[in-house]
Amino acid sequence: MALPSSGAISLNQIHVEAGGSSGAQATLNDTDIRSIIGKSSGASNAFNEYYGVSASAPSVSYRGRASTTSNGFPQGYISLSSGTKVVVVCLQLAGGPPSYGNTYVNLGGSAMTLAAKVDTVTPNSGVWQARYTSAVYYITTSTSGSVLISGNGGSGRSNLHVYEITGYNSATPYTTDTAQQTNLDLSASITVASQYNGLTIGSVICEDSLSATGITVTNADSIEQQHLESASAHTSWYDAGTPSGNRTYTITQTNPGTNVISGSTLFQITSASWK
C-alpha cells in the first residue's frame, strides 16, 4: 500500500512500507528505507520525498507489436487498457542515419519521450558496421482502445513492441542505458544500476537466428522476439522486481543464421528503468 500523498507522514509509516516492523527503530538512512526512493547511503533525503511512494514493484504488461519488411517505420494499431499508465515502445529498426534515422515516435497524436537510443556504428571496426537502431520511448497517457503508433526511420525489417506500466512511483525512468557489441562473438551485455523492486525494459536488434526463440537474455522475466526475412532479430524484454545494485543483461544470438561476419554479430541495445 502506497504512503500518503500529502499531510503528515511518519518515519514509522515509511519503515513499514519498506518492509520493517511497526515500532522498530529506524532512520532515513537505513538501506531498506533509502531503497524505495533510490537514494544511496548518506545521500540527502527528506520526508516529503516519500509522499505517494510504494515499495512494491511497478506492474508491466505486453500489449503487442507492429512490423514491416519494407522501407519505413513499422507503424500499427495497438490496443491499450483503460486508466492512466506509462506506455513504452521498444523500437528495433534495420536502418539508421543518415538516410533512415529515427527522430520521433507518436502515440496517436501525442509525441512520445525518447528514453534511450543507439544508432551509431560499434567502435570495434571488426564488428559489422551497420547503423541499426534500437530505442525506447515512453509517454504517460489515459488513452485506451486501439491507438496508432507512428514515427519515422527504418530501412526494411523493422519492428516495435509495446508495453504498459502501472503502479509506478514516477513516470520518468530513473536510469536509461545503451550498449553495443564490442567483441567478435555472439553475445553482448548491458548493465543497469537497478533500484530495489524496480522494473527494467530493454530493446535489442541483431542479426537473425535460425530459431523462433534464438535470442536469449539473462535475468529477463519475459522476452518478445521477431525474426524477419532470415536477416534480423528484433527483441525486447522486461525484468520486474529488480534487486538493488548493478544488474547485467547478457544477450546471446544462439543458432545464428548467415551473419555478415562469421562468428560475430552486431548488437544495438537500449534500456529504461522505472520505480
Side-chain angles (χ1 to χ4, degrees):
M1 181 178 178
L3 290 164
S5 58
S6 62
I9 187 171
S10 69
L11 179 58
N12 186 62
Q13 286 176 293
I14 297 171
H15 191 214
V16 169
E17 179 63 28
S21 299
S22 181
Q25 185 175 0
T27 72
L28 283 182
N29 196 45
D30 289 352
T31 299
D32 57 348
I33 290 176
R34 287 187 285 102
S35 292
I36 67 174
I37 60 169
K39 289 295 182 81
S40 59
S41 179
S44 174
N45 67 102
F47 280 87
N48 60 6
E49 294 182 83
Y50 293 86
Y51 281 133
V53 167
S54 171
S56 300
S59 297
V60 59
S61 63
Y62 174 65
R63 303 304 299 181
R65 69 178 178 92
S67 300
T68 182
T69 54
S70 301
N71 285 348
F73 189 85
Q75 71 176 27
Y77 285 88
I78 302 294
S79 180
L80 302 180
S81 67
S82 60
T84 301
K85 63 270 181 184
V86 174
V87 175
V88 179
V89 171
C90 295
L91 196 59
Q92 310 100 27
L93 306 179
S99 300
Y100 302 101
N102 165 257
T103 58
Y104 72 91
V105 174
N106 289 337
L107 176 74
S110 300
M112 302 188 74
T113 299
L114 175 65
K117 179 169 68 174
V118 58
D119 58 7
T120 58
V121 297
T122 174
N124 186 338
S125 60
V127 177
W128 185 33
Q129 297 288 285
R131 294 186 69 172
Y132 279 7
T133 299
S134 173
V136 178
Y137 283 82
Y138 70 97
I139 190 172
T140 306
T141 182
S142 57
T143 300
S144 61
S146 183
V147 182
L148 177 66
I149 309 288
S150 61
N152 68 338
S155 176
R157 302 187 314 279
S158 295
N159 181 81
L160 61 82
H161 295 122
V162 181
Y163 296 86
E164 288 183 353
I165 305 172
T166 56
Y168 46 85
N169 291 331
S170 173
T172 302
Y174 66 80
T175 186
T176 61
D177 298 277
T178 65
Q180 294 176 286
Q181 173 65 291
T182 57
N183 300 312
L184 292 174
D185 57 26
L186 302 175
S187 294
S189 298
I190 186 169
T191 298
V192 175
S194 296
Q195 292 186 9
Y196 172 71
N197 261 354
L199 166 69
T200 293
I201 297 179
S203 178
V204 59
I205 183 168
C206 66
E207 291 169 272
D208 201 17
S209 186
L210 300 178
S211 167
T213 57
I215 306 302
T216 62
V217 184
T218 61
N219 289 320
D221 291 329
S222 180
I223 302 172
E224 300 293 334
Q225 55 188 291
Q226 272 65 50
H227 301 262
L228 302 179
E229 296 186 328
S230 299
S232 53
H234 308 251
T235 305
S236 66
W237 78 90
Y238 69 76
D239 178 22
T242 57
S244 179
N246 287 343
R247 182 85 156 163
T248 297
Y249 304 93
T250 298
I251 300 98
T252 301
Q253 180 202 30
T254 68
N255 195 22
T258 307
N259 289 356
V260 172
I261 298 175
S262 180
S264 173
T265 188
L266 171 76
F267 285 104
Q268 304 278 66
I269 314 168
T270 50
S271 71
S273 303
W274 284 263
K275 180 68 179 82

